[in-house]
Amino acid sequence: MLAMNYRGPYRVRAEQRPMPEIKHPEDAIVRVTRSCICGSDLHLYHGMVPDTRVGMTFGHEFTGIVEEVGPLVQKLKVGDHVLVPFNIACGKCNFCKQGLYGNCHESNPMATAVGGIFGYSHTAGGYDGGQAEYVRVPYADVGPTVIPADMDPDDAVMLTDVVPTGYQAAEMGGIKPGDTVVVFGAGPIGIMAARCAWFFGPSRVIIIDHLDYRLEFAQNYAKCEAYNFKFMKDPVEFLKKATDWYGADVCIDCVGCEAEGNTLQTFSGRVTLMQAGAATALQWAINSVKKGGIVSIVGVYGPPFNLLPIGNVVNKGITIRANQASVKRLLPRLIDHVQSGRLNPKGLITHRIPLEEISDAYNIFSSKLDNCIKTVLIPPSARS
Amino acid sequence: MKNIPVNIQDIPGYGMDADPENEPTYPMKNYTGDDHNRINYERSEQQPADVELLMSTERPALTAVFGTSTPPSGLSGMIRRYAFKHSEDRYRHWIPLILADRINVYEGVLGDLAHGHIPNIFAERGLKSSWKYNKKGVIKKTVVAVLVTAAIISFFRRKKR
C-alpha cells in the first residue's frame, strides 16, 4: 500500500509499505478515504517532538471504510464508512469512563502524560497514522463513528480533530454571555475556535496572528475581529487597550510550540531547543487575560518544559484549562451543528492533494504557500 | 486590515451552547469517583508484544494496546533504550530521545543507500511546490546560500595563505 514515510525534519515521501495487520481482537483495518495534515503534524515534520522515528507514517485526522475487523469488534462491520477520532481510547479505564477520551490510560505505554494518538511519534504510542491507504485502528468499537449518510466526507474528516479541538478550546474557556474572547493563532484550529466561541454567547471574538491572508480568512469564516501582531508595538498592550484596559475575559492559545513574535522565546524554543518550543502565544495569553480570567490551551507543546510567567498566573488568579480534545464526547453535539448547517467545517479546506504528492503537500502547508489554510490528502484508492 | 462590524445575533447558533453550569474551577469531566479505584478497572485483552517496545518507567506494565511502528534499532535505538531507563520527569529521558531522532536521520539515509535507493532530498522537501508558488523566495535563498558559501571559502583560502 502507499503510505507517507517520515525521513527526518522537513523530509517526507510517499512509498509502498506493508499492509497493516490486526494485532488485537478489538482492532479494525480501515481503507482511508480522506486524511488531513494537521498543524500539529508540522511539529513532527519540523523535528520538534521527541521520539519521532524515521520510517513512521503520520496522520491522525482521517476517515475510511472498514475492511477487516478483529473477533471482538461488535459495533462496526466491514463496509462501514467511519470517521476516526485522533485519540485512541479504550472506553474502559477511569479516564475514558469520565469522558476524558484524550487521556486514555490503556493506549500508550511509552508515556503517561499523553494517551495514544494515531501517527504522532512514539511519545504518543508509536502507532502508524492515516496518511496512507490503509491503517490499523485499535479499540474499533470505541472511537470510530459511522458517518451519517447525508454528511459530506470533507465535513466528516474535519470532525476527527479540527472541529472538536476548536470547540473544546472555546468550551474550556468557560465563556459567559457578553465575554470578550481572544484567540491566538489563525490556523485551522484557531479559526475553528473563534467560530465555535460564538456558540457560547460572547460579545466579542478577537483573533491574533501575523499572516494577513489567514486573518482575512478568519474574519470571513468566523465573523470575528482580526489583528496582525506584526503591526503592533506590543500585543499585550494592544489587547489591554482593546478591552478598556481591563484584559480579555478568556484567552485561547491555538498556536503551541512554534509561535513567532518574541525573540527570546524563538531563540530558546525553536532555534536551540533549550525549551519545548516557543511559548510566545501562551505568554501573551497569560498576560492579556483579565484578573481571575481563564486561559484555555489547545496548542501543542513538547514534553520537557517551557518558560512562562507563572508568577502572573498566581498573582492574577488565572485559571488555566487545557487538554487534548475529547473527540468522542463532543461528536454528537458537533455532528448536530454540522447537519443543521450551523457549522461548515469543509469551508476551511483550501487544498486537496493526492497522497502521492505528500512532500509538496507538507511543504505548502508548512511554508504557508498558496494561501494554504487546510490540506486534505486523497489516497489513490479513494479516487478511483 | 479593516474589521467589518457584524451583527452577532445573525451568526448561526449564536449563544445556543452557553452553559452557566460550565464553571471553570470544576474539571470538565463526568466525575464518577472511579479515580479512587486506581488502575483496578476492567481492561481489554493484552496485545501480544511481537516487537521490541520501550515503556515508560512510570507504568507497571504495557497498556492493553500499543503501536508497533519502527522498533528501536542501531545507534539511535541504543540511545532510546538508555532514555527509557529514566522517568518522563528527567531531562535524561527527553534530551537523549531528541539526540536519537537526529542520529536516526543519518541512519535513514544509510538505510536507503543500503537498499539501493538514493534519497531525493529536494523532492522529499517538496521544493517543487516552493518553486511553483514562491520563485522569488527560492531564488533569494539560493543567492544567499551561494554568497555565504563563497565568503566562507574565500575566508579559509586567505587564512591558508
Side-chain angles (χ1 to χ4, degrees), chain A residues 37 54 68 78 88 100 107 139 182 190 205 240 246 265 274 282 355:
Chain A
I37 302 178
V54 167
E68 189 184 349
V78 171
I88 299 170
L100 301 172
S107 56
Y139 299 131
V182 175
V205 177
K240 285 280 171 65
Y246 196 76
Q265 287 279 1
M274 284 161 61
L282 187 48
L355 179 63

Side-chain angles (χ1 to χ4, degrees), chain A residues 19 44 88 103 116 202 212 220 248 252 291 313 319 339 342 382:
Chain A
M19 284 284 288
L44 298 171
I88 299 170
N103 309 101
D212 276 335
N220 291 325
I252 302 176
K291 291 170 187 167
V313 175
T319 299
Q339 286 187 308
R342 291 187 288 268

Side-chain angles (χ1 to χ4, degrees), chain A residues 11 13 24 26 47 51 54 94 106 109 112 122 128 136 167 171 195 198-199 202 219 226 333 337 363, chain B residues 3 12 14-15 17 22 38 41 44-45 47 56 64 66-67 69-70 80 88 101-102 104 112 124 126 130:
Chain A
R11 284 178 52 216
R13 66 186 183 222
H24 183 273
E26 293 173 51
D51 215 358
V54 167
N94 297 339
E106 289 297 335
T112 54
H122 280 67
D128 276 323
R136 170 195 168 214
Y167 186 91
E171 186 190 39
R195 172 63 189 87
W198 292 118
F199 286 128
Q219 200 179 48
R333 184 72 184 133
H337 278 319
N363 186 40
Chain B
N3 282 294
Y14 175 76
D17 288 352
N22 183 5
R38 304 303 184 205
Y41 45 78
S44 288
E45 202 173 290
Q47 177 182 335
S56 167
F66 44 81
S69 174
T70 50
R80 291 189 210 283
E88 296 162 57
D101 290 348
R102 298 297 175 262
N104 201 193
D112 274 344
E124 288 175 355
S130 287

Side-chain angles (χ1 to χ4, degrees), chain B residues 105-158:
Chain B
V105 175
Y106 296 101
E107 292 172 335
V109 174
L110 292 175
D112 274 344
L113 295 174
H115 287 94
H117 174 84
I118 299 169
N120 183 343
I121 308 278
F122 293 103
E124 288 175 355
R125 293 177 73 99
L127 293 182
K128 195 177 75 185
S129 52
S130 287
W131 183 248
K132 185 173 174 188
Y133 297 113
N134 186 20
K135 279 193 183 70
K136 263 189 191 169
V138 174
I139 292 167
K140 196 173 147 191
K141 270 186 190 167
T142 311
V143 169
V144 169
V146 168
L147 288 177
V148 169
T149 312
I152 291 170
I153 291 170
S154 96
F155 174 78
F156 281 106
R157 273 191 180 167
R158 258 190 223 164

Side-chain angles (χ1 to χ4, degrees), chain A residues 86-342:
Chain A
F86 73 91
N87 350 81
I88 299 170
C90 72
K92 292 177 182 167
C93 71
N94 297 339
F95 304 104
C96 285
K97 280 198 286 190
Q98 293 177 111
L100 301 172
Y101 293 100
N103 309 101
C104 175
H105 206 55
E106 289 297 335
S107 56
N108 179 12
M110 286 90 173
T112 54
V114 59
I117 299 174
F118 290 98
Y120 210 79
S121 84
H122 280 67
T123 296
Y127 298 89
D128 276 323
Q131 289 167 8
E133 284 188 286
Y134 295 87
V135 61
R136 170 195 168 214
V137 176
Y139 299 131
D141 272 341
V142 182
T145 301
V146 175
I147 300 170
D150 59 344
M151 184 176 278
D152 188 310
D154 284 345
D155 280 331
V157 75
M158 302 294 275
L159 284 166
T160 60
D161 182 354
V162 183
V163 182
T165 299
Y167 186 91
Q168 186 168 317
E171 186 190 39
M172 288 191 300
I175 300 165
K176 300 282 183 291
D179 274 357
T180 294
V181 179
V182 175
V183 178
F184 292 93
I189 299 287
I191 295 170
M192 190 52 72
R195 172 63 189 87
C196 288
W198 292 118
F199 286 128
F200 300 93
S203 61
R204 290 177 80 186
V205 177
I206 297 169
I207 198 162
I208 304 283
D209 200 287
H210 66 112
L211 295 168
D212 276 335
Y213 84 87
R214 289 196 162 186
L215 288 166
E216 205 171 311
F217 190 101
Q219 200 179 48
N220 291 325
Y221 184 92
K223 310 293 175 207
C224 59
E225 297 169 49
Y227 298 100
N228 190 328
F229 69 75
K230 260 197 328 198
F231 305 116
M232 295 172 190
K233 191 182 99 196
D234 181 331
V236 172
E237 197 180 296
F238 172 86
L239 287 167
K240 285 280 171 65
K241 194 175 171 187
T243 53
D244 304 321
W245 304 102
Y246 196 76
D249 300 286
V250 177
C251 282
I252 302 176
D253 171 10
C254 295
V255 180
C257 64
E258 295 195 70
E260 309 234 1
N262 179 308
T263 310
L264 175 65
Q265 287 279 1
T266 303
F267 181 76
S268 58
R270 297 179 60 184
V271 180
T272 60
L273 295 183
M274 284 161 61
Q275 57 163 329
T280 308
L282 187 48
Q283 181 182 323
W284 288 348
I286 290 168
N287 290 335
S288 307
V289 79
K290 70 181 182 188
K291 291 170 187 167
I294 300 165
V295 171
S296 164
I297 312 170
V298 291
V300 173
Y301 291 89
F305 63 91
N306 277 100
L307 295 170
L308 286 167
I310 203 73
N312 292 358
V313 175
V314 176
N315 293 329
K316 290 171 76 175
I318 294 168
T319 299
I320 292 183
R321 300 175 101 182
N323 207 345
Q324 298 284 351
S326 184
V327 180
K328 185 179 164 64
R329 174 178 69 82
L330 293 168
L331 272 179
R333 184 72 184 133
L334 296 175
I335 288 173
D336 180 50
H337 278 319
V338 174
Q339 286 187 308
S340 62
R342 291 187 288 268

